[in-house]
Amino acid sequence: MTSSEKRKIHSKSQEDIRKINQELPYFIAIITLMASSGISPFMSLKKIIHLDLLQNMSKEAKRMIRQIENLGMDPLTVMNKRASETLSNQYSDFLSGYVSTVQSGGSVVHFLKSKMDSIFDVQGAIAKELVVRLSALVDGYMIIQVVILTMYIIFIVISATPSLAVSILPDPKSTTNLFYIFLMIPPLLSGSLMFIAHQMTTSTYIGTERILKKNLLLTLIVVPIVIVVSLVLPQQHTWLPYFLAIALLTSSIISFSGYVKIEKMNSTAERVTPSILRNIAESRRTGLSPERCIIDAFKKGKNGVFSNTLDRAVNQMQWGMPLKTIIDHIRKDVSSWFVLINFRMLVEIIESGGGHAEALDTLASSSEKMYNVEKMRRTMLSPYIVIAFLITGITGFTTLLVIDSFTGLSQSVDFKEQIQYATTETQSMREMFAASIVFQAHLVGLFIGKIVSGTFVTGLKYSIMLTTIVLLSIAVADFAPIDINMMFAPPNTSGI
């Protein structure tokens, strides 16, 4: 086996471990809730097979059920065997702990509840550790932004002063090559860090890939068109950065406009779901039927845009529709995995065990812990949005300011034949650098959105804002009434 094949196997193994660990808390929660309702873990596994929201744990359940039913193996033997085979330490500990509890005659329900509590505590600790790593990644990204600005300034100093360029670079053509290298470095670094962020975080929203593909397709269509148009137009003005910004804004706005309602609906549903489940659990303690508890909980509180969906669900329940059908209808409006998995667990508790108050209380507690973990992650990463806005705005304005400054300086110190060369080269270079800054602002927005929310689609909102800020910075640098070059003009001595 070659080293590349070993790396692929290792990478796939790490990805499998990550997916299992991500779904494991909800897998344990479902089995715990079923056990609280008097259902055995074996029957819980058979129900999890049909739960498409837990794709990886559904595969695990199918594997164990197949060995039990087709090969006639003992369930405990199958679990113990799977515990020794799996690469996930958390999953292995759960299976081996369950087998030990049953064999020693302990309380399975107590073990499952304690394991569920501990797994959510572990998830909270993992979330905090992830925030630290993401913070380090964002810090590194912002440092790279500053380094890129410094590289731009150094190159501008060299290029705007031909005498200095000749002394440093023996071959004048190497300046052009260096220029294109400097233009390529920022997007390559941004793409690398965006890939790392994609591997580190995931989103609770289902189906965001479709919107992202739409944005990518629009960008690939619009951007080449505006580049061609900018090359055709007269060169009295630097058209390329403006047209590129307009193209990126157009594709981002079109793509994000259809996502605004989805994001608002999902965020509202995630916020109110723990409260709804808590109200159901407390109402159930009073002796009301599970259906009556759900209807009352759906009608309570300020549920925002989620209210229409809940009202429709209440009407459907009063008409006698099955709970699973009602949840399927909710799924048409809500694409949050967190909301859907909690409502699906609620349905399983009621249909399988009658909706015991203890099981509903456990569901409400687990839902609150899930939501608090995600809320904590987003809250701790939110300050980096402000940092990204500040650095991007400063980078856009400062780079163009330095170009204009050193253009004026070169005209005051260089020879006459060098002035025309410097001015022409700097004008073209300024246009390309401005376009590069616009594109970099777009990438920064996508990166920040992925870090904070777990999806690049949310980053389109920040890309629109950052691209607009950079566009205004370029406009100020181009059309400001203050002439920066006057600061470097030689003093007027004609009156002496």
Side-chain angles (χ1 to χ4, degrees):
M1 184 180 295
T2 63
S3 58
S4 61
E5 292 175 342
K6 291 181 179 179
R7 284 195 298 269
K8 289 181 180 178
I9 294 175
H10 177 72
S11 177
K12 186 178 184 303
S13 300
Q14 293 298 318
E15 181 67 14
D16 292 340
I17 293 173
R18 185 185 67 81
K19 290 180 179 178
I20 290 177
N21 289 341
Q22 182 182 353
E23 297 181 1
L24 184 60
Y26 307 94
F27 173 78
I28 296 176
I30 290 176
I31 292 182
T32 303
L33 294 171
M34 296 295 178
S36 300
S37 301
I39 300 174
S40 67
F42 174 72
M43 294 303 298
S44 299
L45 289 177
K46 297 189 72 172
K47 289 182 175 295
I48 291 175
I49 290 177
H50 306 289
L51 195 60
D52 59 340
L53 294 172
L54 298 177
Q55 296 181 356
N56 296 282
M57 299 313 300
S58 176
K59 294 178 182 178
E60 290 289 325
K62 286 180 182 178
R63 179 180 299 178
M64 289 188 285
I65 292 296
R66 191 181 301 115
Q67 293 178 0
I68 294 171
E69 294 184 341
N70 296 344
L71 302 180
M73 298 178 64
D74 179 65
L76 295 181
T77 303
V78 173
M79 290 184 179
N80 202 26
K81 179 182 178 183
R82 187 56 192 151
S84 60
E85 293 175 349
T86 182
L87 298 175
S88 171
N89 292 329
Q90 295 182 28
Y91 185 40
S92 177
D93 291 341
F94 169 72
L95 292 177
S96 58
Y98 174 80
V99 172
S100 299
T101 302
V102 174
Q103 291 177 342
S104 62
S107 173
V108 174
V109 174
H110 181 268
F111 164 77
L112 291 173
K113 287 185 176 180
S114 61
K115 198 66 179 178
M116 186 183 70
D117 292 336
S118 64
I119 198 69
F120 281 113
D121 292 338
V122 170
Q123 287 296 109
I126 292 175
K128 291 181 180 179
E129 182 183 352
L130 178 62
V131 167
V132 173
R133 288 189 293 168
L134 290 175
S135 301
L137 185 64
V138 175
D139 290 337
Y141 192 84
M142 295 304 140
I143 291 173
I144 288 175
Q145 288 287 99
V146 176
V147 172
I148 290 171
L149 173 61
T150 306
M151 292 170 58
Y152 282 173
I153 293 175
I154 293 174
F155 183 81
I156 292 164
V157 172
I158 297 174
S159 301
T161 312
S163 58
L164 181 61
V166 171
S167 62
I168 296 177
L169 302 172
D171 185 5
K173 294 183 180 179
S174 60
T175 304
T176 303
N177 297 332
L178 190 61
F179 170 70
Y180 287 113
I181 291 175
F182 278 7
L183 285 180
M184 292 298 297
I185 288 177
L188 290 176
L189 291 175
S190 298
S192 300
L193 293 178
M194 289 168 68
F195 176 77
I196 296 174
H198 179 65
Q199 298 297 316
M200 294 174 63
T201 61
T202 55
S203 173
T204 59
Y205 296 170
I206 302 173
T208 56
E209 297 83 3
R210 176 180 54 84
I211 301 175
L212 194 62
K213 290 178 181 178
K214 177 183 177 181
N215 174 256
L216 181 60
L217 179 62
L218 286 172
T219 303
L220 293 176
I221 294 174
V222 177
V223 171
I225 293 176
V226 299
I227 292 176
V228 173
V229 172
S230 65
L231 295 175
V232 173
L233 291 175
Q235 298 299 312
Q236 286 88 353
H237 299 286
T238 55
W239 297 108
L240 180 58
Y242 292 101
F243 285 154
L244 179 60
I246 293 173
L248 293 175
L249 286 173
T250 301
S251 61
S252 298
I253 291 173
I254 292 175
S255 302
F256 189 72
S257 59
Y259 180 70
V260 173
K261 292 182 179 179
I262 298 175
E263 184 184 35
K264 189 174 182 180
M265 172 66 78
N266 288 333
S267 61
T268 303
E270 288 181 350
R271 176 178 57 83
V272 303
T273 294
S275 300
I276 291 174
L277 296 177
R278 175 56 63 188
N279 290 334
I280 293 174
E282 296 303 324
S283 298
R284 183 61 175 145
R285 293 182 186 277
T286 63
L288 295 175
S289 67
E291 290 77 11
R292 184 72 252 177
C293 295
I294 293 175
I295 292 174
D296 292 342
F298 280 6
K299 291 181 177 180
K300 286 182 180 179
K302 297 180 180 180
N303 299 320
V305 295
F306 195 40
S307 298
N308 294 332
T309 302
L310 295 178
D311 292 340
R312 187 185 63 197
V314 169
N315 293 333
Q316 291 172 343
M317 290 187 65
Q318 292 174 341
W319 296 337
M321 294 182 64
L323 285 176
K324 284 187 177 179
T325 304
I326 295 173
I327 298 302
D328 290 338
H329 288 168
I330 292 177
R331 191 169 183 173
K332 295 179 181 178
D333 296 336
V334 180
S335 59
S336 170
W337 187 83
F338 166 79
V339 175
L340 296 175
I341 191 66
N342 277 285
F343 279 127
R344 186 59 188 272
M345 288 192 289
L346 173 64
V347 171
E348 294 297 338
I349 291 173
I350 294 174
E351 291 190 348
S352 302
H356 292 294
E358 187 177 356
L360 293 173
D361 182 72
T362 303
L363 173 61
S365 299
S366 64
S367 175
E368 291 166 350
K369 291 180 180 179
M370 297 176 202
Y371 177 72
N372 290 333
V373 168
E374 184 65 20
K375 183 180 178 181
M376 177 200 66
R377 183 182 72 86
R378 293 182 180 180
T379 302
M380 295 180 68
L381 290 171
S382 294
Y384 288 98
I385 299 176
V386 180
I387 298 175
F389 274 64
L390 290 175
I391 292 182
T392 303
I394 293 173
T395 301
F397 184 74
T398 306
T399 304
L400 300 179
L401 180 66
V402 171
I403 292 177
D404 293 338
S405 302
F406 276 95
T407 300
L409 182 62
S410 66
Q411 292 179 358
S412 64
V413 299
D414 272 322
F415 296 107
K416 183 176 181 179
E417 61 271 13
Q418 293 175 331
I419 292 175
Q420 185 178 3
Y421 168 81
T423 303
T424 304
E425 288 295 314
T426 306
Q427 182 71 10
S428 175
M429 180 176 60
R430 184 187 192 281
E431 183 177 14
M432 294 300 294
F433 272 133
S436 176
I437 293 171
V438 168
F439 186 66
Q440 184 68 9
H442 179 72
L443 295 180
V444 171
L446 295 176
F447 175 77
I448 293 298
K450 180 64 177 178
I451 290 294
V452 175
S453 66
T455 174
F456 286 116
V457 180
T458 304
L460 292 174
K461 173 174 61 178
Y462 303 119
S463 292
I464 294 170
M465 298 178 184
L466 290 173
T467 304
T468 303
I469 291 174
V470 171
L471 182 60
L472 293 176
S473 300
I474 296 173
V476 170
D478 283 344
F479 305 108
I482 300 175
D483 188 359
I484 301 298
N485 293 335
M486 292 299 296
M487 298 172 57
F488 302 94
N492 186 7
T493 58
S494 60
I496 300 177

